[in-house]
Every structure is written in structure tokens, then in C-alpha cells.
């Protein structure tokens, strides 16, 4: 008997997770595993068998220790000597969704499939999200 | 003394190699000089990876069994330990296929494994 492979066009489930008060890394692992389909017995490495994840209250995600002020995100403008740094606190003000997106992205495979699977992640700073029509299931912490 | 070569055999040998390297990039599919290197390499990788394939599939089965186990509230390592104690000798391939095809049967297996661990 041959090993069964996942069907790429199988229907996908939607999950909604509340990030308020959750630790960034612990939460991101769970999200990444769902996006990749690693929570299912039919997981297939070369096929996207994962589900959609909606994150709400992304601005209230927690970081331990002194990372709020000490952890920095680096950007490079393209000009010599012009790398820019933004602390987590500043990022939380400016673009709170980026904190979770950045963490999950780092846990995904660095290839076309990984980038395609990232598109199933929807992050919102507030407690509202426009995906009620997909009937997302609440993911417990 | 006249120089003796084996023209037809050489030609046949080279043709055989070029046949296997069809579709390769650039010179590797056209010139014997480059095709023979490409063929040697391809055969070497194919030989190695036929052996690697066994391990890679086993890895996949373990990931799948783990996912199915965690749906039933037990980790992979505890489940396998329980199966061993219960004397159930299913291999990982069959376990992973069972988890996909028949959820209820897999849950029953997890129940047996848990019972064996507690005993």
C-alpha cells in the first residue's frame, strides 16, 4: 500500500485565535503548525494541507523579559549605512500586526510553498475581523 | 601494424549514455564528454536517494502519527511506548494510514496504549 498524500483542493478549516496576553513564540508555533497542516494526520510536506488562521488582538501579544524595549527589528533602506532599527514597543504603536507576522514567517519553510501558506494568516490589531462568513472555530490557548 | 579500434562498440556505448541524459541542460544532453559526468553523478544520487527514501518516509509517518496522537491527547513517544507494552506490533506506515482512513480505530488503539501504560 502506498502512503496516502493530501489532496491540494481539500476544503480548509478556519481558526480564530485571541492573542491577548499570550506569549509571542508559544503562540506563533501553534499558528505556524496549523498553516502548514502539521496538526492533521494527512500532513504532506510538498502540498498545502493547512488551514486558515485569523488572529485578533494582535496588539496585546506578550513578550517575556526585557524584549519589549531591547528586541529590535532591522530594516535596510538600500543605501549604505542606512539600516533602521525599530523596537518592539515602537512597532506595537506603528504596526502591531507585524510582530506576529514576523515571528510566524520565521517558522515557515523558506520557499514558494512557505510563502503561499503565509497568505492563509490574517492578523488584526483589534478584536474585530471580517471573516465571520467563513465560520472560524475558536482555537483555545 | 594497422591501428585497431572498436568503432561500433564505442559508438553504441556512447549512444547508450546520451540516451540516459536526454533532457539535461546544455552540453550535458548533447556531448558525450559532458554527458558521462552528468550520468555518473545522476546514478550516484539516484542510488543514494533510493536508500534515503526509506528514512524520509518513516519520518513523515512519525509526524503524521504524532498529529493523530495529539488529537487524542497523548504524545507520540508515550503512544509508541504504550503500544509496545500492550504487545501491538503494527508498523508506523500502517499506523499512519489507519489514522487517516479510520479515526475511530486509531482512537481505540490510543485507548489500548494508554491502558497498557497505566497498568
Amino acid at each position: 500500500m502506498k502512503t496516502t498524500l493530501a489532496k491540494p483542493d481539500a476544503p480548509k478549516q478556519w481558526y480564530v485565535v485571541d492573542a491577548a496576553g499570550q506569549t509571542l513564540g508559544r503562540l506563533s508555533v501553534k499558528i505556524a503548525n496549523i498553516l502548514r497542516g502539521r496538526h492533521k494526520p494527512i500532513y504532506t510536506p510538498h502540498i498545502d494541507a493547512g488551514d486558515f488562521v485569523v488572529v485578533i488582538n494582535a496588539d496585546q501579544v506578550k513578550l517575556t523579559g526585557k524584549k519589549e524595549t531591547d528586541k529590535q527589528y532591522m530594516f535596510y533602506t538600500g543605501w549604505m549605512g542606512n539600516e533602521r532599527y525599530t523596537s518592539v514597543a515602537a512597532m506595537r504603536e506603528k504596526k502591531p500586526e507585524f510582530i506576529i507576522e514576523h515571528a510566524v514567517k520565521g517558522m515557515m519553510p523558506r520557499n514558494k510553498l512557505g510563502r503561499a501558506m503565509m497568505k492563509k494568516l490574517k492578523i488584526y490589531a483589534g478584536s474585530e475581523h471580517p471573516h465571520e462568513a467563513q465560520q472560524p472555530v475558536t482555537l483555545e490557548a | 601494424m594497422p591501428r585497431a579500434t572498436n568503432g561500433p562498440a564505442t559508438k553504441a556505448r556512447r549512444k547508450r549514455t546520451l540516451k540516459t541524459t536526454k533532457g539535461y541542460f546544455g552540453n550535458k544532453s548533447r556531448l558525450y564528454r559532458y554527458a558521462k559526468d552528468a550520468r555518473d553523478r545522476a546514478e550516484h544520487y539516484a542510488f543514494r536517494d533510493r536508500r534515503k527514501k526509506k528514512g524520509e518516509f518513516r519520518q513523515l509517518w512519525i509526524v503524521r502519527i504524532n498529529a493523530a496522537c495529539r488529537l487524542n491527547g497523548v504524545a507520540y513517544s508515550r503512544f509508541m511506548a504504550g503500544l509496545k507494552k500492550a504487545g501491538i506490533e503494527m508498523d508506523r506506515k500502517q499506523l499512519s494510514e489507519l489514522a487517516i482512513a479510520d479515526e475511530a480505530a486509531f482512537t481505540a488503539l490510543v485507548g489500548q496504549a494508554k491502558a497498557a501504560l497505566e497498568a
Side-chain angles (χ1 to χ4, degrees):
Chain A
M1 189 182 176
K2 276 195 176 173
T3 300
T4 314
L5 300 179
K7 299 250 185 309
D9 49 359
K12 294 192 190 310
Q13 174 97 48
W14 284 69
Y15 289 100
V16 58
V17 57
D18 188 350
Q22 297 214 50
T23 311
L24 178 63
R26 311 261 166 200
L27 175 67
S28 300
V29 176
K30 281 179 198 156
I31 297 172
N33 280 344
I34 291 175
L35 292 175
R36 293 182 65 193
R38 279 194 154 236
H39 60 309
K40 290 180 183 173
I42 192 82
Y43 168 73
T44 310
H46 66 287
I47 287 166
D48 177 8
D51 293 326
F52 287 84
V53 181
V54 179
V55 183
I56 54 171
N57 294 326
D59 54 339
Q60 291 168 48
V61 71
K62 197 178 74 186
L63 273 85
T64 55
K66 289 195 282 180
K67 289 188 210 108
E68 192 71 28
T69 48
D70 288 5
K71 182 181 168 70
Q72 291 190 316
Y73 295 108
M74 195 271 265
F75 301 90
Y76 186 53
T77 61
W79 294 87
M80 256 169 134
N82 274 274
E83 66 265 45
R84 298 287 152 80
Y85 295 95
T86 313
S87 71
V88 172
M91 189 57 86
R92 210 186 276 277
E93 282 292 307
K94 206 174 146 203
K95 207 171 158 195
E97 298 89 354
F98 178 85
I99 299 173
I100 292 180
E101 191 195 325
H102 180 267
V104 174
K105 200 174 175 184
M107 298 175 185
M108 299 296 279
R110 282 143 180 84
N111 54 28
K112 275 186 196 168
L113 184 66
R115 289 188 288 277
M117 290 190 294
M118 271 304 282
K119 289 189 178 164
K120 292 182 296 172
L121 177 61
K122 321 279 179 188
I123 308 174
Y124 301 97
S127 57
E128 302 288 314
H129 69 81
H131 303 290
E132 279 310 332
Q134 279 74 29
Q135 294 159 357
V137 179
T138 309
L139 190 73
E140 68 277 16
Chain B
M1 185 136 171
R3 195 171 95 95
T5 61
N6 196 351
T10 305
K11 203 179 163 193
R13 204 160 47 237
R14 294 182 177 192
K15 208 172 167 182
R16 197 156 60 227
T17 294
L18 282 169
K19 206 176 160 189
T20 63
T21 62
K22 257 184 201 163
Y24 285 16
F25 179 83
N27 286 343
K28 287 186 280 187
S29 68
R30 296 186 184 94
L31 305 181
Y32 176 72
R33 175 179 170 185
Y34 301 105
K36 66 174 190 241
D37 275 355
R39 178 209 58 203
D40 287 349
R41 226 169 256 222
E43 282 175 353
H44 174 243
Y45 288 138
F47 182 86
R48 184 197 65 190
D49 291 347
R50 277 196 301 277
R51 273 137 195 85
K52 265 175 82 175
K53 189 163 70 179
K54 278 89 179 161
E56 283 165 5
F57 266 103
R58 191 179 157 100
Q59 267 181 21
L60 174 60
W61 299 327
I62 290 174
V63 171
R64 285 177 166 186
I65 296 169
N66 200 358
C69 284
R70 280 169 199 275
L71 287 178
N72 286 295
V74 60
Y76 169 80
S77 65
R78 302 306 301 151
F79 173 64
M80 291 315 268
L83 281 191
K84 200 172 179 190
K85 257 194 167 174
I88 300 169
E89 290 185 352
M90 263 176 96
D91 61 26
R92 281 162 184 79
K93 183 177 188 178
Q94 297 313 325
L95 284 171
S96 73
E97 289 297 312
L98 185 74
I100 293 165
D102 192 348
E103 245 175 84
F106 190 83
T107 306
L109 267 186
V110 173
Q112 283 190 23
K114 271 184 188 166
L117 276 179
E118 277 159 21

